[in-house]
Amino acid sequence: LNMEIVFRALLLPPSAVRMVLWDRMEVMWHDKVLVPSFAKSIIQAKDFPKTKVLFRHVIWHLEAPANIIHPAKTVPFVRGRHVTCVGSTLFKAYAGRILRTFSLWDERPPPIPHILLTIRQPKRRNIGRVLVNQGEVEEVMKKGNMLTWTAADMGSMSFGEQISFVRKANVLVGMHGAGLMWVLFLADEAVLVEIHPSYRLDRHFRHAARLSGKHYLPMRAGDKIECVGTSDRITIDIAEFTKVLDAAVRLARGFDDGVSECGLACPLQILSLDPTHDDHYAPTHTQKVSRPDLKFPCNTAGVKTASFI
């Protein structure tokens, strides 16, 4: 996002830029994202050990992520004022640039709700905010009809695989953490469900969802936390989660011109109102029923003549 600001302000063409990373980390996903999105090539300081390098034309940009995603930093001079920015052109331009790099800009949105649950696998490394009752969370998703869902450990995938997974989803569910910045690359109409640990009050991702034009639904996990070394493992309230996910799916069913006004487990007659569902009954193991009569139910005498559901 910081680079997007620099490139838009200076009208820089990526084909004319060589990018220098001033750290000693291995270039993992950087070359797949930054080239060709922002530069024609990447070099690192370690590529020139004990060598003086002359740069004839250098542009420095300061890394300041909090200025972009934290409301208190965004409006520092007007304390107490509500953040009213919605659908930032900067966020959309940045998302568009990256999505075009991976040929995902024109990816069709899912025709029915598709939930992506991001999970953290402690086996890979010492990692926090691990969802203990993931199995129960998956059971809640299984109760839904006319929807699809995936649980994925994004950290085990390449960047290309991750962004492809995300672009095909219109409901993103996950524990508070940097991975929720994937909200920028969800389907154009989408919902972010953020599960907050009891000890965090950050609103970074609410702000990111707002500025990328997405819906946002928060949930507080409660205080059921198990400590394993410096890592925490969190058990969430399933009844509360069910309510939040039901609301998210209800929003997703109305995306595009959807007419299924219902939540997680949708009444079959309501599903039958939407003809776009016809190709998805079998794949989602959803029963198809006859479409109800939509005639106005009252006759001229004011007597109810028909019932809907």
Side-chain angles (χ1 to χ4, degrees):
L1 279 169
N2 289 288
M3 286 187 292
E4 184 67 33
I5 294 173
V6 173
F7 272 67
R8 286 169 67 84
L10 301 179
L11 302 177
L12 295 176
S15 59
V17 174
R18 296 187 70 189
M19 186 170 293
V20 181
L21 300 181
W22 295 104
D23 56 48
R24 298 179 180 277
M25 295 177 60
E26 293 296 322
V27 175
M28 297 176 290
W29 53 266
H30 305 76
D31 57 332
K32 303 296 190 302
V33 179
L34 301 179
V35 179
S37 296
F38 291 100
K40 64 179 181 181
S41 62
I42 295 176
I43 57 176
Q44 291 182 278
K46 67 179 183 179
D47 295 333
F48 305 94
K50 299 180 180 180
T51 303
K52 291 183 179 181
V53 179
L54 173 64
F55 294 97
R56 297 187 181 280
H57 185 190
V58 178
I59 300 170
W60 291 85
H61 83 84
L62 300 180
E63 189 72 21
N67 290 345
I68 294 176
I69 63 174
H70 199 292
K73 301 295 184 182
T74 306
V75 283
F77 304 112
V78 192
R79 295 300 178 190
R81 177 181 173 182
H82 294 293
V83 178
T84 57
C85 295
V86 177
S88 162
T89 54
L90 168 63
F91 273 60
K92 292 180 178 179
Y94 170 70
R97 183 190 294 265
I98 302 301
L99 288 169
R100 288 186 180 92
T101 296
F102 288 88
S103 301
L104 292 169
W105 175 250
D106 295 323
E107 178 75 27
R108 291 180 63 84
I112 57 177
H114 179 63
I115 306 166
L116 174 57
L117 171 67
T118 61
I119 59 177
R120 296 175 169 219
Q121 294 288 4
K123 294 180 181 179
R124 289 189 296 105
R125 55 192 174 93
N126 187 33
I127 191 169
R129 280 163 267 158
V130 175
L131 181 60
V132 173
N133 53 340
Q134 177 188 333
E136 292 181 281
V137 167
E138 293 183 4
E139 287 300 317
V140 172
M141 295 190 290
K142 290 178 183 178
K143 293 177 182 177
N145 56 6
M146 193 54 71
L147 58 79
T148 54
W149 64 272
T150 303
D153 175 14
M154 305 293 275
S156 65
M157 304 178 188
S158 68
F159 187 91
E161 291 171 328
Q162 293 180 62
I163 197 169
S164 180
F165 257 71
V166 169
R167 187 60 171 165
K168 292 177 173 64
N170 54 14
V171 179
L172 176 62
V173 181
M175 298 294 297
H176 171 85
L180 296 188
M181 281 301 289
W182 282 118
V183 67
L184 272 68
F185 305 107
L186 289 169
D188 292 340
E189 289 187 287
V191 188
L192 171 63
V193 176
E194 178 180 13
I195 303 172
H196 266 110
S198 59
Y199 55 87
R200 298 298 292 262
L201 293 175
D202 312 78
R203 292 295 180 266
H204 302 82
F205 306 110
R206 178 176 68 179
H207 200 44
R210 177 191 290 116
L211 291 180
S212 57
K214 306 301 191 296
H215 297 280
Y216 175 82
L217 290 173
M219 173 186 168
R220 186 147 292 276
D223 56 1
K224 294 183 178 180
I225 299 177
E226 174 190 359
C227 296
V228 180
T230 58
S231 295
D232 56 324
R233 302 187 179 191
I234 299 171
T235 301
I236 67 172
D237 185 300
I238 291 300
E240 182 69 11
F241 174 75
T242 302
K243 294 177 185 177
V244 177
L245 188 63
D246 183 81
V249 172
R250 183 176 294 271
L251 287 170
R253 292 198 193 278
F255 291 158
D256 195 11
D257 60 348
V259 295
S260 297
E261 295 144 343
C262 51
L264 194 60
C266 187
L268 298 180
Q269 283 189 299
I270 293 181
L271 289 177
S272 70
L273 295 173
D274 195 334
T276 63
H277 289 157
D278 289 350
D279 294 334
H280 305 287
Y281 283 98
T284 61
H285 306 289
T286 302
Q287 180 185 354
K288 185 176 182 179
V289 300
S290 299
R291 196 169 187 256
D293 185 1
L294 295 181
K295 291 181 180 179
F296 185 65
C298 299
N299 62 22
T300 56
V303 178
K304 186 176 180 182
T305 59
S307 61
F308 173 46
I309 293 180

